[in-house]
Structure formats: C-alpha cells, structure tokens
Amino acid sequence: MTSPVAGSTDFRTSWSGVVSVDVTVDLSSCVIRQRAAWARERMLGENSHLVTHYRPIVPEFVGTRWEYRDMCGRYATTTNPARLAADLDAIDETGAADARTFTSYNVAPTTQVLTVVRRHEHGHPDDEPKLRVRRMRWGLIPVWTKVAEPGVPVKGKPLFNARADKAATTASFRDAVKYRRCLVPMDGWYEWLVESAGNGKAVKHPYYMSNADGSRLYMAGLWSVWRDRALPDSDPLLSCTILTTDSVGELTNIHDRMPLPMPEEHWDAWLDPDHPAPASLLETPDAAAVAGIAVRPVSPLVNSVKNNGPELLAPLADTADTEQAGQISLL
C-alpha cells in the first residue's frame, strides 16, 4: 500500500513575506527532507533562502487507503450544562443529573457532547423559538442511514467534521445547513503539528488553542435527527458535526484547517430554525476572528483518548520541553 505521490507542494506567503512550504510526504519510503531542499530548488529558485519552516502534511492509513485527516478531532470542555443554560438564558434539555458528565479534557468523536440550538416548542411552530442546551453524539448520522439492528444505525465513519465551503452541497450535510445548525461550546481544541524526527520518521506535537482570557468558545456546528422508522415511539438519536474552515492568522502555523468560530452577534441568524443562514456565515473569517486565541504546546499525553485530566492543558514546563514539542515562532 502506497501513499499519495511525494513532491506535491503548496506555497503560502504570510503577511511578513516569509514563505512556508507544505510538503506531501511519501510514507511508503519515509521521504521527509529537512527544510525541503528539493522544493526550494524546483519551485522557488533564487528565492529559496526565504523558506524558514516547512510542515509536512502526513496522510494516515484509514481502512484501505491513505487519507488526510481533517480537524477539529479533539477538544476540551469543562462546561456545566446548567451553568451554560443560565449564561445563555436557555433551557437545559440534557437531563444530566451529574454536571461532571460533560466535563472532559480530551473529547473524542462518538462521545456525547453539549450543543446549543434554537427551536420552537414541540407542537407549537408559531411560538417564539428558544435557545436550548442539548446533548448529542459527536459524529453526525445522516437521516437516511440504514438500521443495523432495532433502534441502532449502521456504524460508519464518524462525520465529526464538515467543510464549511462544501457542506451546503454535500449529501450528508446539506439539509442540516438549511435548518439544523447549532453551536458547540468548548474551552479550547487540540491540533498536531507534524514534523520530521530527523531519522526518516514523522512525529506529531500536540498544541492547545483557547481564548487567552479563558472565556468559552462557540464553534459552528450542524446536527441531525435519526430514527428507526420501524420504532416510531423510540427516542430519536441526535448527532452533530463541527464545521471547519481554512486557518487564518497565527493558526496557519499549526494546521491548514480550524473549527469555524461563530461570534455572538451572528447567533440569531445562525441558529434561526425557520430560515437558511446567510452564506457569508460559512465563509472563512478574517484573522481578527482568532486574534484572541492563545497557542501553546502541551504534553503528548493527549495523544491517547485514555488520558483525561487537567494536566493535558498544562503548557510544557521549560524551554527544552518546548523545543522538543516542536514549538515554532508564530509569524
């Protein structure tokens, strides 16, 4: 089994004029070259000296093929559903007897997560829609998913991310884009910077992104309702996905993609259950949208979903650890 052809490159120029090179790596022969010298010579010519950093985009073997894994795939939340509902003047519909149910420092796809929707009271479509805090499975299950056994959908690849620029035309998401949009609250999210280990292997260094002032983040999401039609009285299965977009600002130094933030001034339009959202809300925001995001390297303990504690958020202690984690100078 071979990976995509080595040598595919993508060049971007940052605001400072420094060129960053993304290199698609041939994992079958572990071709990872420091500073991508061949790319400098072939693509940049006399400007090759401008290359100060390169970040290989490393595909992962999934099922029967190599894939480029999108993000956001892990995040942290310490949000209490009752507190969240109180902060937003919303109705808590989670039914959580223990607030700790939704506290996780390593949220992974297929787990139950908190979402915020705006809906009419059931059976009263003319009433004013209200904000509601709901629990949903992270990994959207399309309504047309077949039944594996009574009340259980066929297990497929978790749709935990949806590209904002393609969701409206993608079969799994297009209906949700029209009328089932949500917010996914979080404290912050993780992303991995992939670099060469210098021995023909790639290594991943985890970073944590959160608001510098510690305030809660709200990301744009879509949700779905799945039912076994043979069991009309059974409880529906609610599931969601997080929309992603091109990274902007300093976040481009960590990953090409980021979750799509949804500012509070756009919540009314985004959560409107009766009208499609303006197309502009699905566009990549400008760098100002992430100006308050702090980025820090964290422990590789987060690599395993078995680890789940506040120590995952702690910044690496000293300079040596920071360099080992692959920290880069954010442009």
Side-chain angles (χ1 to χ4, degrees):
M1 183 63 61
T2 59
S3 69
V5 177
S8 174
T9 56
D10 172 35
F11 293 88
R12 292 193 307 276
T13 303
S14 71
W15 61 268
S16 63
V18 179
V19 178
S20 174
V21 183
D22 282 353
V23 182
T24 299
V25 181
D26 182 354
L27 290 186
S28 62
S29 59
C30 294
V31 179
I32 302 177
R33 303 181 185 277
Q34 288 287 347
R35 295 174 61 84
W38 58 269
R40 294 202 307 269
E41 295 174 0
R42 292 178 56 189
M43 303 297 290
L44 295 181
E46 63 181 6
N47 295 319
S48 63
H49 65 283
L50 293 177
V51 177
T52 59
H53 168 70
Y54 93 99
R55 174 159 46 93
I57 306 174
V58 180
E60 295 181 9
F61 188 68
V62 180
T64 59
R65 65 184 186 274
W66 292 95
E67 291 184 353
Y68 293 98
R69 305 307 298 271
D70 207 348
M71 62 82 62
C72 156
R74 302 275 187 86
Y75 68 90
T77 178
T78 56
T79 300
N80 178 320
R83 171 63 66 84
L84 176 63
D87 290 346
L88 302 180
D89 192 21
I91 301 171
D92 180 4
E93 296 184 341
T94 63
D98 187 347
R100 293 173 296 180
T101 301
F102 295 99
T103 295
S104 176
Y105 298 91
N106 201 355
V107 182
T110 74
T111 58
Q112 293 287 312
V113 299
L114 291 178
T115 63
V116 179
V117 301
R118 190 180 182 194
R119 309 300 289 179
H120 297 281
E121 189 70 31
H122 183 67
H124 298 275
D126 295 328
D127 286 356
E128 183 71 19
K130 297 179 180 179
L131 290 178
R132 303 170 189 272
V133 177
R134 292 180 174 176
R135 67 164 75 200
M136 298 187 189
R137 176 189 185 272
W138 185 21
L140 188 140
I141 301 172
V143 295
W144 37 260
T145 301
K146 295 181 179 180
V147 177
E149 57 183 271
V152 179
V154 170
K155 186 177 181 180
K157 180 180 177 181
L159 301 177
F160 57 89
N161 283 160
R163 291 183 61 103
D165 58 335
K166 296 182 178 180
T169 57
T170 301
S172 297
F173 307 122
R174 59 192 176 199
D175 287 342
V177 170
K178 293 178 181 177
Y179 300 113
R180 289 189 299 277
R181 302 176 298 274
C182 65
L183 299 173
V184 180
M186 62 179 68
D187 294 4
W189 78 96
Y190 300 99
E191 195 45 67
W192 282 259
L193 177 68
V194 184
E195 293 186 324
S196 169
N199 56 0
K201 297 182 179 180
V203 292
K204 292 184 175 182
H205 305 295
Y207 282 75
Y208 182 66
M209 279 66 70
S210 62
N211 272 332
D213 61 6
S215 60
R216 190 183 298 137
L217 292 163
Y218 293 90
M219 301 304 180
L222 306 173
W223 63 286
S224 178
V225 181
W226 183 89
R227 284 187 174 91
D228 182 346
R229 297 183 180 180
L231 301 173
D233 296 330
S234 62
D235 292 334
L237 176 57
L238 305 184
S239 61
C240 66
T241 189
I242 295 176
L243 287 165
T244 67
T245 188
D246 292 334
S247 290
V248 295
E250 295 182 345
L251 300 185
T252 58
N253 293 291
I254 303 298
H255 199 279
D256 293 328
R257 308 287 296 173
M258 69 177 190
L260 178 63
M262 189 55 58
E264 186 173 356
E265 60 265 28
H266 297 314
W267 288 2
D268 285 347
W270 180 250
L271 297 176
D272 187 341
D274 302 317
H275 302 91
S280 60
L281 296 186
L282 291 168
E283 296 176 354
T284 300
D286 57 32
V290 298
I293 299 293
V295 181
R296 65 175 182 265
V298 292
S299 169
L301 287 173
V302 73
N303 294 352
S304 173
V305 295
K306 296 179 181 179
N307 299 322
N308 196 331
E311 66 276 6
L312 300 184
L313 306 184
L316 292 186
D318 53 46
T319 303
D321 287 341
T322 298
E323 292 176 352
Q324 184 179 3
Q327 185 179 29
I328 59 177
S329 175
L330 298 181
L331 300 176

